[in-house]
Amino acid sequence: MLILKNFSKFFAILGQIMAFLTIVMLGLLYLNDVVPVKFLPEDFVSTLTNIKEYAVILTITVCGLSFAVKRNIIIFLLFCAFAICALACYSIIIFG
């Protein structure tokens, strides 16, 4: 796990950037739903809505990796298994 500990800072920075972008995307989507005049084109809203769940799952995964790489191999492998399971199950739900 020593090699993976070196990636902790990388995952932390990547997670922070992804979290910022995800919140901006969610804010735009929710603001577009709340205001009476829609300022985002319908196609763009549809695309962002499809990306929304994946962005949340991937952001949480990257932030979790920053935590898991500092722990023992069992915690790291369990986290990776649950992250893959969440992404795979969501994909099955969406795409059938």
Side-chain angles (χ1 to χ4, degrees), residues 22 24 27 38 43-44 56 64 72 74-75 79 84-85 94-95:
T22 301
V24 169
K38 306 300 180 208
D43 291 341
F44 188 63
V56 170
N72 64 26
I74 295 171
I75 291 175
F79 178 79
I84 291 169
C85 178
I94 294 300
F95 298 114

Side-chain angles (χ1 to χ4, degrees), residues 25 29 32-33 40-53 90:
M25 178 184 61
L29 282 172
N32 191 60
D33 287 343
L40 294 176
E42 191 61 38
D43 291 341
F44 188 63
V45 170
S46 175
T47 302
L48 284 182
T49 303
N50 291 336
I51 294 172
K52 178 176 65 174
E53 291 295 326
Y90 179 72

Side-chain angles (χ1 to χ4, degrees), residues 15-69:
Q16 291 168 5
I17 293 168
M18 290 174 68
F20 177 81
L21 294 174
T22 301
I23 287 297
V24 169
M25 178 184 61
L26 290 172
L28 284 173
L29 282 172
Y30 295 153
L31 186 62
N32 191 60
D33 287 343
V34 171
V35 296
V37 177
K38 306 300 180 208
F39 57 90
L40 294 176
E42 191 61 38
D43 291 341
F44 188 63
V45 170
S46 175
T47 302
L48 284 182
T49 303
N50 291 336
I51 294 172
K52 178 176 65 174
E53 291 295 326
Y54 285 109
V56 170
I57 291 171
L58 290 175
T59 300
I60 292 169
T61 300
V62 170
C63 291
L65 279 172
S66 128
F67 171 82
V69 296

